[in-house]
Amino acid sequence: MQDRRAGRRPLATLKATPMNTPSQSNDLQPWDDFDSAWYLAHNYKTLRFDDREIIERMATFLASSGPGLSGIDVGSGTNLYPSLAMLPSCRSIAMVERARSNVGWLREEIRGYAPTWDPFWGALINAQADRYKPIEARRLLAERAGVQQGSIFSLPRGRWDIGTMFFVAESITARPDEFERATQSFVRSLRQGAPFAAAFMRHSTGYRVNGLKFPAVSVGEAQVDECLAPVAYDVTVTMIPSGKNPLRDGYDGMILATGYASGS
């Protein structure tokens, strides 16, 4: 695990974003009004360079896992590439999502996903051709993935063999304690020794989806590392720069964390 103890600040002292106050917790957000189509068009219409780097790093990390595992992607939203990355390893993938709008979108999309996702699958092939190129991704995702409506805070412990969580824990609340609880709930849903990949918006100040405000907790590499320390081992935390063409205002890069669940 990377040692970032110098200069750390306790998670409890992390500040809520200017957009929201600490009282604006996860359960107060209008998740069922989340505009899936708008979010998809704004975030995944094209393959960005930062998503490509995350995909390549994740594919390399997951290359030694599987096959025949049970997988989970938590807070899938309108993002298929974490589940696609796990596809060679998994006999089944549970896509757990809270917002009803996103659940409906996912159930339709995994039946035969749109060409939008072909470049994302291509990035996986470019990273690990022997692993991804032989796979019929559309058919296998339809066969192996299932969508469940549920909360990250209610996941059972020690159930899955491999997992992903992308841009969720820091983007569902303005409360640092809920960020910590969400991240650790995800890792604790995995069996001991299970590999995982998790991504976070770095220093996010909150975001809008078709005019609706949603909260965030501003986290950096040190806070992610600290949050994972009680529940994971062999953790690598990498900052992915946003470059000259950021996705939106109010963040300064992305963070990818990979590691293994400790079963604690």
Side-chain angles (χ1 to χ4, degrees):
M1 179 177 291
Q2 296 182 358
D3 188 358
R4 293 191 174 88
R5 291 176 177 81
R8 282 182 177 173
R9 48 184 178 150
L11 285 171
T13 67
L14 286 173
K15 294 181 179 180
T17 68
M19 186 176 289
N20 292 278
T21 65
S23 64
Q24 290 180 304
S25 59
N26 172 264
D27 60 1
L28 296 178
Q29 307 308 317
W31 297 117
D32 288 337
D33 296 325
F34 195 97
D35 190 329
S36 306
W38 187 97
Y39 193 83
L40 173 70
H42 188 73
N43 289 271
Y44 302 114
K45 183 178 181 179
T46 60
L47 173 59
R48 292 172 49 83
F49 77 95
D50 39 15
D51 279 320
R52 180 184 295 276
E53 182 170 349
I54 287 174
I55 286 169
E56 291 175 350
R57 288 178 179 271
M58 175 172 53
T60 299
F61 172 72
L62 296 178
S64 61
S65 62
L69 305 180
S70 61
I72 182 172
D73 180 50
V74 181
S76 305
T78 58
N79 183 5
L80 294 189
Y81 76 68
S83 292
L84 290 172
M86 289 190 289
L87 204 51
S89 298
C90 294
R91 67 177 186 275
S92 64
I93 299 173
M95 304 176 79
V96 179
E97 167 61 37
R98 177 170 179 174
R100 282 200 299 262
S101 53
N102 287 339
V103 168
W105 180 88
L106 285 165
R107 285 176 175 163
E108 288 297 318
E109 190 71 5
I110 64 173
R111 294 171 60 185
Y113 62 76
T116 300
W117 298 102
D118 291 340
F120 294 83
W121 182 251
L124 289 164
I125 291 175
N126 289 339
Q128 295 287 327
D130 291 346
R131 181 172 169 81
Y132 292 99
K133 193 171 183 180
I135 289 179
E136 297 179 42
R138 279 184 175 80
R139 178 178 63 82
L140 289 185
L141 188 68
E143 291 177 358
R144 297 179 182 179
V147 182
Q148 304 174 16
Q149 186 169 17
S151 168
I152 191 172
F153 299 109
S154 302
L155 298 173
R157 287 200 177 198
R159 180 166 177 178
W160 288 279
D161 303 313
I162 187 172
T164 51
M165 178 190 70
F166 272 55
F167 313 117
V168 178
E170 82 289 5
S171 300
I172 58 173
T173 181
R175 291 176 46 178
D177 63 311
E178 287 192 333
F179 160 75
E180 180 176 8
R181 187 158 61 94
T183 302
Q184 294 180 357
S185 177
F186 159 63
V187 179
R188 286 185 171 125
S189 75
L190 305 175
R191 294 189 174 96
Q192 185 175 5
F196 68 85
F200 308 85
M201 300 300 285
R202 186 175 187 263
H203 297 155
S204 177
T205 59
Y207 58 106
R208 294 176 182 268
V209 177
N210 199 14
L212 279 180
K213 295 180 180 180
F214 287 93
V217 176
S218 177
V219 297
E221 297 91 310
Q223 287 75 44
V224 170
D225 193 18
E226 181 182 2
C227 184
L228 290 171
V231 293
Y233 65 93
D234 288 352
V235 173
T236 299
V237 178
T238 305
M239 197 277 276
I240 311 295
S242 57
K244 296 181 180 180
N245 183 31
L247 180 65
R248 57 172 172 79
D249 293 333
Y251 79 107
D252 62 4
M254 300 178 184
I255 298 169
L256 176 66
T258 58
Y260 302 87
S262 63
S264 59

